[in-house]
Amino acid sequence: MRRYAFVGTGSRVQMYLAALLGSHAGAGYPVAFCDTNEVRMAYHDRVVADARPDLRVPHYPAGDFDALLGRERPDVVVVTSPDATHAGYVGAALRHGADVVVEKPMTTDLAGLRQIRDALAAPGAGRLTVTFNYRYSPRNTLVRRLIADGTIGEVTSVAFEWCLDTVHGADYFRRWHRDKATSGGLLVHKASHHFDLVNWWLADLPEVAFARGGLRFYGDDNARRRGLGARPDRSRDAADPGDPFGLDITADDKLRELYHAGEHLDGYIRDRDVFSGGITIEDNLSVVVGYRRGASMAYTLHAHSPWEGYRVAVNGTAGRIELDVVERGHVVPATARAAIGAATAVVDPSAAVAHPNGGGPRPRGARLLLQRHWEPAEEVPIPSGTGSHGGGDAMLLDDVFRGPDICDPLRRQAGYVDGAASVLVGVAGNESLRTGQAVYVADLGLPPLTTGEV
């Protein structure tokens, strides 16, 4: 039985902790929580007690992580803290000989990438797993298989559009993600998922990126420009009780206990108004990425779409693949407040595994089309999956707690190179936003990535 320590006890840790206490209890047990906030750790004490009343999990303040490693001797450290803190925890745990499971993005900047790479090279270092659950989603796995089988020949280009709606997308502008110094912006925090998918689909590494974007919808300047009137600093203080962008975290048991109850301890405010000041990330982004073997990607993300989902077109020398996914077709203002909040009700795309005939002009579901040159298009059935992210989370957890399938020809479990490659696209994109110039990955100052690395 392996000993697991958890760093960061906000909403994202729940998936890993619940699995260890339930479906994957045979893999081990929790031995420590580490966080900046005692209230959040105490919340998860109750979760543990419900499943394992015999367990008592020690708490460690964030500054005592080294003490945790020495006293509790974890075999595995699961890192789900804010993105900019990942590298410090990952590096320390690896050097201590513990294996590490870290949420994407692996880190947010070049210094973090160097820190993790050096730790992996240290004598006796543990093993690193970066959790890209979208790789495991049946629809995305199918795209990888079709490309790898040569179904459309050699890939020449990818067009990728990601739409975050005014429920899910808005939530990034309330939380710590709104600060680029903490999250790396959506090009790192959110788009690392998407960049990893394309890197993985192509089995290639990024070479150059050119980006454009800005804060065009959220934030106080945009609110004034559109005549929205005065806005509060906190979302729950909106003057209009029917404001669809309002969020009262005290009205939700989980959000209240995880965040509001502990505000006095670390000062973290979970419910900033999306039209308040202080936002330093972009809500509209476009990036062109060039790959080492010659393919290119045109990527767009916007965080105030009326619907949620993504569209991908992969062009090859022998044909084209098109994947369309609608995770939420629209949001009704009267229900937006009830659906908001990543801790409780972010869109669950588990049902988006088939393309239904009904449901209006934008039905929830997924459709994959394959069209070879000189042939009509054919719809390729997408295998069904259960659970979040189209069934991806359940398969990811199997890899995390039971170990990867060594015979997996798709190589879904991700390590340092995968994590770094996805982050580097975002880092290069952010530098391009700053300078207005195309940015070559090789000019960022890291040793070149190679597919033979761990």
Side-chain angles (χ1 to χ4, degrees):
M1 298 282 281
R2 308 192 81 194
R3 300 166 59 83
Y4 286 80
F6 293 88
V7 183
T9 56
S11 60
R12 190 57 183 162
V13 75
Q14 294 172 97
M15 178 180 78
Y16 301 99
L17 183 60
L20 192 62
L21 296 171
S23 59
H24 295 76
Y29 55 96
V31 298
F33 292 141
C34 181
D35 201 290
T36 60
N37 195 295
E38 176 64 27
V39 169
R40 283 197 290 273
M41 291 189 280
Y43 173 88
H44 293 291
D45 281 343
R46 298 192 293 275
V47 174
V48 172
D50 287 343
R52 289 285 304 274
D54 58 309
L55 282 181
R56 294 294 182 270
V57 181
H59 296 181
Y60 287 83
D64 289 348
F65 183 61
D66 286 341
L68 180 160
L69 294 172
R71 292 174 191 163
E72 307 302 337
R73 297 173 289 105
D75 299 300
V76 184
V77 175
V78 180
V79 179
T80 59
S81 55
D83 301 345
T85 68
H86 286 183
Y89 293 124
V90 170
L94 289 172
R95 289 181 182 276
H96 198 267
D99 292 341
V100 175
V101 175
V102 60
E103 265 289 310
K104 66 83 198 164
M106 186 173 71
T107 184
T108 58
D109 56 21
L110 297 172
L113 290 173
R114 294 188 188 98
Q115 186 173 359
I116 293 171
R117 183 168 183 157
D118 290 347
L120 282 166
R127 186 173 185 274
L128 176 66
T129 299
V130 185
T131 53
F132 289 115
N133 49 13
Y134 263 92
R135 288 186 175 203
Y136 296 81
S137 177
R139 54 186 177 249
N140 298 327
T141 297
L142 182 55
V143 173
R144 160 83 170 187
R145 183 173 290 114
L146 289 171
I147 293 173
D149 289 346
T151 309
I152 59 169
E154 179 183 355
V155 174
T156 58
S157 65
V158 179
F160 197 144
E161 178 188 26
W162 197 280
C163 299
L164 289 165
D165 67 18
T166 46
V167 170
H168 188 187
D171 213 35
Y172 292 106
F173 298 84
R174 296 188 181 90
R175 301 177 280 165
W176 55 262
H177 309 73
R178 71 193 335 244
D179 178 10
K180 186 175 278 196
T182 305
S183 68
L186 292 180
L187 274 187
V188 173
H189 174 80
K190 184 63 180 175
S192 60
H193 251 328
H194 317 147
F195 299 148
D196 174 71
L197 271 182
V198 177
N199 297 345
W200 178 63
W201 282 337
L202 301 182
D204 203 355
L205 294 170
E207 183 178 53
V208 61
F210 178 76
R212 280 288 184 267
L215 186 64
R216 303 284 185 255
F217 182 78
Y218 301 107
D220 53 351
D221 287 343
N222 291 314
R224 283 192 294 271
R225 181 172 55 81
R226 294 200 303 275
L228 296 185
R231 301 290 301 188
D233 181 60
R234 299 191 64 151
S235 182
R236 70 180 185 198
D237 295 330
D240 179 2
D243 183 351
F245 289 101
L247 171 65
D248 182 2
I249 61 174
T250 66
D252 180 282
D253 290 343
K254 188 177 293 185
L255 290 173
R256 182 180 66 251
E257 293 183 45
L258 274 176
Y259 300 107
H260 182 262
E263 287 176 2
H264 63 289
L265 296 179
D266 60 9
Y268 174 51
I269 305 299
R270 167 64 178 80
D271 60 346
R272 297 288 186 195
D273 186 75
V274 300
F275 298 110
S276 63
I279 297 172
T280 57
I281 65 172
E282 300 82 14
D283 54 24
N284 281 261
L285 291 155
S286 297
V287 189
V288 175
V289 180
Y291 286 85
R292 290 184 182 178
R293 295 205 302 267
S296 63
M297 172 178 64
Y299 172 83
T300 60
L301 180 150
H302 42 105
H304 55 93
S305 170
W307 67 279
E308 176 120 344
Y310 59 104
R311 293 169 168 162
V312 178
V314 184
N315 299 296
T317 56
R320 176 180 169 102
I321 296 168
E322 297 176 3
L323 174 63
D324 293 301
V325 178
V326 176
E327 295 179 344
R328 183 158 44 210
H330 73 289
V331 179
V332 177
T335 63
R337 293 172 69 99
I340 223 157
T344 53
V346 163
V347 57
D348 174 7
S350 59
V353 295
H355 186 64
N357 294 322
R362 200 185 300 281
R364 182 178 180 180
R367 181 175 65 172
L368 193 150
L369 293 180
L370 168 65
Q371 187 165 12
R372 298 178 183 87
H373 289 168
W374 321 114
E375 297 179 9
E378 59 177 296
E379 185 165 347
V380 181
I382 298 174
S384 61
T386 58
S388 297
H389 295 100
D393 283 354
M395 288 183 281
L396 169 70
L397 290 169
D398 280 343
D399 267 11
V400 166
F401 291 112
R402 295 174 182 156
D405 180 355
I406 61 174
C407 298
D408 181 5
L410 301 178
R411 201 185 61 80
R412 281 172 286 202
Q413 190 170 82
Y416 172 80
V417 170
D418 307 293
S422 65
V423 168
L424 283 169
V425 178
V427 169
N430 280 332
E431 180 66 5
S432 180
L433 289 172
R434 187 184 71 83
T435 65
Q437 305 296 315
V439 175
Y440 281 83
V441 171
D443 293 339
L444 294 174
L446 282 179
L449 297 177
T450 65
T451 55
E453 291 183 83
V454 176

